C-alpha cells in the first residue's frame, strides 16, 4: 500500500511505525480487528507484528506471556493490546512491570449521549508498578496477605508525570487520591511527595481527597475533576467508575507509558459474557489507537481518528447495542473508517 502523500520513496515524510499487536482473549480479538481496520484507513503506514498472550495461549502452552512477545514489544515503537481474561496478572500486569510502564493514563471523556452525567472530561493518572499490585501475595496459616508498596521514587515520577501532563495539555488542576488517614505510612508518603511535587508547579492548582470521598464526588460533581493522580488499585477502581459515568467500559481507552515503551489498551477486559457475538463496542480500542498516535507524535492523525469516531457515536445510527444501536463491532468500525478516509 502506498503512502497517503503519494510520495513513497520520493521525498515522503511519513514514517512506517513498527507496532506489536497482542489481540489476547475474548472481545480483545474482536475490538483489535475493528481498531486495525480503522487505523488502516488513516494516512499512516504501520508494520504490524502479531504476538501471543493470554488465557487461550496459556491453555495451549502453559505460558501466558511468552518471552518472544515481551521482546517484540521492546523492539517495536508501540504496542496495541486487546484484552486477556484470567491471566491478566501474568500478562498485562507483568508487561507493565517488565517494561517499567509506570504510567497508566486513562482519559474519562463523555462522547455522544451515552453518559448520564453531562459533559465530563478528566484524566486518571494511575501509578502502574507498585501499590497493592506489587505481586507480593502469599498464603498464611490464617488466610493470605498482600504487600502494598509505596516508594518515594515511584511516587515522585508519577506525580511529576501528572503535573507535566496537566501543563502540556492545558489542564489546570491535579488532585491526589489516597487513604492516608488509614494507610498512614504508604499513603502518607504518597500525599507528602504529591505536595512536594506540587510546589514545582505553582501555575497548576493542587488538592487531595480520600478515595472513598472521591468515589462519591465522581458521581455528584464529576466536572470538578481535571487530572487525578493515584495509586495502582485505587486508579483501577476509579477508572471503571469513570467508565460508568461516561456510558460504559466500551468507551474508555488507556495508555501504559514508560521511558522506552508504550502499550495501548482498552480499560475493559475480555468480557466473556459477550465474546464471540460480534457486539462489543470497539470505541475503547479505537480511542486507544488515538492515544498511540499522540504518543508516536502524530497528533493531527489522532484528532482525525477521534473525530471520525465521535461523529459515528453522535449520529447514533451505526453503533453497537451498548450505545443504543444494533450494529456489530465491525459494522461500527467500517463506518468510522469510512468517515476517516474522507477527512
Ligand atoms: P476483567 O476481569 O478482564 O476486567 P470482566 O468480565 O470482569 O473481565 P470486563 O471484561 O471489563 O470485565 O467486562 C465488564 C462488563 O462490561 C461486562 O458485562 C462486559 O460485557 C461489559 N463490557 C466490557 N467491554 C465492553 C465493550 N467493549 N462493549 C460492550 N460491553 C463491554
Amino acid at each position: 500500500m502506498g503512502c497517503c502523500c503519494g510520495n513513497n520513496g520520493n521525498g515522503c515524510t511519513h514514517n512506517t511505525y513498527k507496532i506489536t499487536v497482542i489481540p489476547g482473549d475474548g472481545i480483545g480479538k474482536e475490538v483489535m480487528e475493528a481498531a486495525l481496520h480503522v487505523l488502516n484507513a488513516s494516512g499512516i503506514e504501520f508494520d504490524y507484528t502479531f504476538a501471543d498472550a493470554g488465557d487461550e495461549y496459556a491453555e495451549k502452552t502453559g505460558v501466558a506471556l511468552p518471552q518472544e512477545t515481551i521482546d517484540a514489544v521492546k523492539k517495536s515503537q508501540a504496542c496495541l493490546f486487546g484484552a486477556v481474561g484470567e491471566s491478566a496478572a501474568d500478562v498485562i500486569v507483568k508487561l507493565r512491570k517488565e517494561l517499567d510502564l509506570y504510567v497508566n493514563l486513562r482519559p474519562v471523556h463523555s462522547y455522544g449521549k451515552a453518559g448520564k452525567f453531562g459533559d465530563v472530561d478528566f484524566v486518571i493518572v494511575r501509578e502502574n508498578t507498585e501499590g497493592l499490585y506489587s505481586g507480593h501475595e502469599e498464603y498464611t496459616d490464617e488466610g493470605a496477605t498482600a504487600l502494598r508498596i509505596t516508594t518515594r521514587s515511584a511516587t515522585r515520577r508519577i506525580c511529576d508525570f501528572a503535573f507535566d501532563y496537566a501543563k502540556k495539555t492545558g489542564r489546570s488542576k491535579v488532585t491526589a487520591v489516597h487513604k492516608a488517614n488509614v494507610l498512614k505510612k504508604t499513603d502518607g508518603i504518597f500525599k507528602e511527595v504529591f505536595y512536594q511535587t506540587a510546589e514545582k508547579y505553582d501555575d497548576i492548582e493542587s488538592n487531595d481527597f480520600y478515595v472513598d470521598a472521591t468515589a462519591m464526588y465522581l458521581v455528584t460533581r464529576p466536572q470538578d475533576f481535571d487530572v487525578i493522580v493515584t495509586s495502582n488499585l485505587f486508579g483501577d477502581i476509579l477508572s471503571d467508575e469513570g467508565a460508568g459515568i461516561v456510558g460504559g467500559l466500551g468507551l474508555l481507552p488507556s495508555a501504559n507509558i514508560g521511558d522506552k515503551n508504550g502499550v495501548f489498551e482498552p480499560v475493559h477486559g475480555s468480557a466473556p459474557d459477550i465474546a464471540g457475538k460480534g457486539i462489543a463496542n470497539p470505541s475503547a480500542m479505537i480511542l486507544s489507537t488515538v492515544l498511540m498516535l499522540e504518543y508516536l507524535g502524530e497528533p493531527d492523525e489522532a484528532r482525525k481518528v477521534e473525530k471520525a469516531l465521535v461523529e459515528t457515536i453522535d449520529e447514533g445510527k451505526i453503533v453497537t447495542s451498548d450505545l443504543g444501536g444494533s450494529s456489530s463491532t465491525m459494522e461500527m468500525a467500517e463506518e468510522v473508517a469510512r468517515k476517516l478516509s474522507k477527512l
Side-chain angles (χ1 to χ4, degrees):
M1 194 174 96
C3 185
C4 60
C5 66
N7 279 338
N8 265 5
N10 185 19
C12 173
T13 52
H14 285 94
N15 289 319
T16 298
Y17 293 105
K18 282 175 74 68
I19 308 296
T20 301
V21 177
I22 306 175
D25 300 312
I27 65 165
K29 290 189 261 193
E30 300 164 38
V31 296
M32 184 65 79
E33 187 189 350
L36 295 185
H37 183 76
V38 173
L39 268 189
N40 290 338
S42 76
I44 297 196
E45 295 266 300
F46 296 98
D47 174 7
Y48 300 120
T49 301
F50 285 81
D52 292 310
D55 298 9
E56 269 185 36
Y57 186 74
E59 269 165 39
K60 279 190 263 166
T61 64
V63 181
L65 179 65
Q67 188 58 41
E68 304 91 78
T69 296
I70 300 175
D71 293 342
V73 179
K74 279 186 183 162
K75 276 192 245 149
S76 58
Q77 286 160 287
C79 168
L80 287 173
F81 185 95
V84 296
E86 294 302 312
S87 56
D90 297 322
V91 179
I92 188 67
V93 177
K94 188 165 172 206
L95 209 48
R96 289 168 183 157
K97 283 180 132 195
E98 284 273 336
L99 303 177
D100 200 22
L101 304 170
Y102 58 91
V103 179
N104 194 324
L105 189 69
R106 296 183 158 190
V108 181
H109 188 94
S110 49
Y111 294 106
K113 301 176 202 79
K116 297 184 177 64
F117 293 83
D119 287 340
V120 172
D121 179 32
F122 62 87
V123 178
I124 297 178
V125 175
R126 162 188 171 195
E127 203 292 320
N128 222 9
T129 60
E130 51 182 35
L132 257 179
Y133 288 4
S134 66
H136 299 280
E137 223 190 357
E138 60 186 31
Y139 291 111
T140 63
D141 292 344
E142 288 298 311
T145 57
L147 199 60
R148 186 173 199 268
I149 297 179
T150 304
T151 63
R152 287 181 192 278
S153 56
T155 309
R156 198 167 295 118
R157 68 182 180 174
I158 199 68
C159 290
D160 271 329
F161 181 94
F163 280 96
D164 275 343
Y165 180 86
K167 205 169 170 160
K168 271 194 222 137
T169 54
R171 291 180 179 270
S172 59
K173 181 164 70 179
V174 181
T175 302
V177 173
H178 58 81
K179 189 70 182 169
N181 54 337
V182 177
L183 302 165
K184 288 184 197 291
K185 292 177 182 154
T186 47
D187 267 356
I189 286 175
F190 194 90
K191 186 176 166 186
E192 180 193 317
V193 172
F194 170 76
Y195 279 113
Q196 283 167 358
T197 311
E199 279 177 22
K200 296 191 284 180
Y201 297 85
D202 47 12
D203 47 343
I204 310 262
E205 198 187 324
S206 54
N207 65 353
D208 70 285
F209 293 127
Y210 295 134
V211 64
D212 42 357
T214 305
M216 181 188 68
Y217 296 150
L218 282 180
V219 290
T220 52
R221 43 183 168 113
Q223 285 76 16
D224 281 3
F225 291 91
D226 204 352
V227 176
I228 289 174
V229 62
T230 189
S231 53
N232 212 332
L233 175 65
F234 296 164
D236 198 9
I237 296 171
L238 293 180
S239 45
D240 270 32
E241 187 182 355
I245 290 167
V246 296
L249 276 167
L251 290 164
L252 233 64
S254 81
N256 300 277
I257 301 169
D259 291 334
K260 293 194 189 128
N261 301 98
V263 175
F264 302 84
E265 53 157 345
V267 167
H268 64 72
S270 61
D273 56 338
I274 58 166
K277 296 183 181 161
I279 57 168
N281 183 348
S283 303
M285 190 72 237
I286 294 169
L287 288 167
S288 300
T289 72
V290 170
L291 295 177
M292 181 185 79
L293 288 167
E294 284 169 355
Y295 171 83
L296 292 171
E298 299 284 355
D300 295 345
E301 209 57 41
R303 292 292 71 75
K304 283 187 196 169
V305 175
E306 185 179 38
K307 189 168 190 282
L309 176 70
V310 171
E311 280 178 10
T312 305
I313 295 174
D314 282 348
E315 279 176 14
K317 285 190 219 140
I318 307 179
V319 293
T320 47
S321 55
D322 59 319
L323 297 175
S326 57
S327 301
S328 70
T329 308
M330 275 315 283
E331 283 165 350
M332 184 168 169
E334 279 158 12
E335 178 61 13
V336 178
R338 233 186 327 269
K339 287 187 167 27
L340 176 61
S341 59
K342 290 191 196 140
L343 291 174

